[in-house]
Each structure stands twice: as C-alpha cells, then as structure tokens.
Amino acid sequence: LPTLPNHLAIISSASGAALRDVLAVVRRRYPVLAITLLPVAVQGDEAERQILRALERVRATAADVVLLTRGGGSLEELWAFNLESVARAVAACPLPTVVAIGHETDFTIAEFTADLRAATPSAAAELITPDTSELEAALLGGMAHLHQSMRHQLTVSGHRLAANHARLRDPRERLRQLMQRADDIERRLTHALR
C-alpha cells in the first residue's frame, strides 16, 4: 500500500454502514485523502455484475489504492464475495487492493485474493490511511533535528572561520618581510662583491 495515499477508490454500497465507518475513520486520521465512491450492490442478483464492473472502472478513477468493503451479514448475503469471478477480478486489479467484508469472524474468498485483508471496514480504513497526528509529530521531530543540525553546523563553521582568520596575516606584513629579506640579500651581495 502507498505510505501516503492521494486517492482512494471505494467499492461499496452507497447507503451502507460500512461506507459511513470508512469515511469517519478517513476524516479523523487523514482528511486530505481524495475519495471516489464506485457504488455497487453488495448482495443479491446484481452484486456480482456491479462489483466486476466497478473493479474494471477503478483504473479510470486515478486512485492509488482500492477498498472493496461491506458490513457483516449472513453467508448468503456475503456470497457475491465468494464467487470465483469476483475473486479473480480482485486478484487482477492493477492497483493495491484492500478487501474488508463483514466483521472479524467473516471470511470470503475475495479477501484472500486481495493485496491486503482487513477484519472490518474501519480496520481497512486505518490500514490504508496514515495518522495525521503521527505524521505531524514526525515532521516536527524532523524539523527539530534539522534545526539542531543546522545550529551545530553553524557553530563548527564559525570555529573554522575563527581559526582560519587567526592564521591569516596582513599581506602588508608579508610584503615588509619580503622587502627586508631583499634588502638583506642586496647588502650581502654588495658586501660579497667588494
């Protein structure tokens, strides 16, 4: 799954409690996440066809992660998620796919063909989204570390500058020394010529 997802495609019933739970978790943990709902029937005769069509359309949403979810129910109500066609479509989905069907004790075949299975729709939303408060704390910690590193670097650079400044000599002094040496050599040369 992407560490910082930008866009979530949700395949679920538009009126189900599962969708409300997912949206509540996303709003609390990572409200900047863009969401596209691909509404489908999650039980009954139309469920298989609608879920397959939604999984085909998911590429067009520009999402970077997909959540296929519904709340709990009887085995018959969850049966669309046990169909081979749905399981194969989940496995073939080109985007990272999380499937959360029912409650913790419910298992469907589609969940085992997904990139990640979650026990509940809310748990799926937590797996998909980073916690904004944790990101903020990490960012503040990183900024503090960066500030401390910059202060240390400035201190070290200041010490280096002071040391280099202390080693610097006035060029006029060096020029006087060279002129004095030249005078000295001239005197010795004159004395040697005599």
Side-chain angles (χ1 to χ4, degrees), residues 134-149:
E134 289 175 10
L135 290 174
E136 185 178 2
L139 182 62
L140 291 173
M143 286 173 53
H145 177 71
L146 181 61
H147 190 259
Q148 182 181 1
S149 294

Side-chain angles (χ1 to χ4, degrees), residues 20-136:
R20 286 192 302 275
D21 292 347
V22 167
L23 294 176
V25 171
V26 169
R27 265 189 239 107
R28 174 176 48 85
R29 287 177 55 89
Y30 195 59
V32 298
L33 182 63
I35 296 175
T36 298
L37 174 64
L38 299 169
V40 296
V42 291
Q43 67 187 52
D45 296 335
E46 287 296 307
E48 177 184 15
R49 185 181 61 74
Q50 290 182 19
I51 292 168
L52 293 175
R53 197 172 67 213
L55 284 166
E56 288 172 6
R57 289 184 12 222
V58 80
R59 262 188 221 149
T61 64
D64 51 4
V65 65
V66 178
L67 173 59
L68 174 60
T69 191
R70 71 151 282 156
S74 68
L75 181 62
E76 293 79 22
E77 291 172 335
L78 304 179
W79 193 251
F81 301 95
N82 284 317
L83 297 173
E84 181 180 352
S85 59
V86 172
R88 287 187 181 277
V90 168
C93 186
L95 300 173
T97 306
V98 179
V99 177
I101 306 300
H103 301 301
E104 288 191 40
T105 56
D106 297 319
F107 290 94
T108 64
I109 294 171
E111 291 174 282
F112 295 109
T113 63
D115 295 305
L116 190 61
R117 176 199 181 267
T120 64
S122 297
E126 293 209 7
L127 289 170
I128 291 169
T129 57
D131 189 347
T132 308
S133 60
E134 289 175 10
L135 290 174
E136 185 178 2

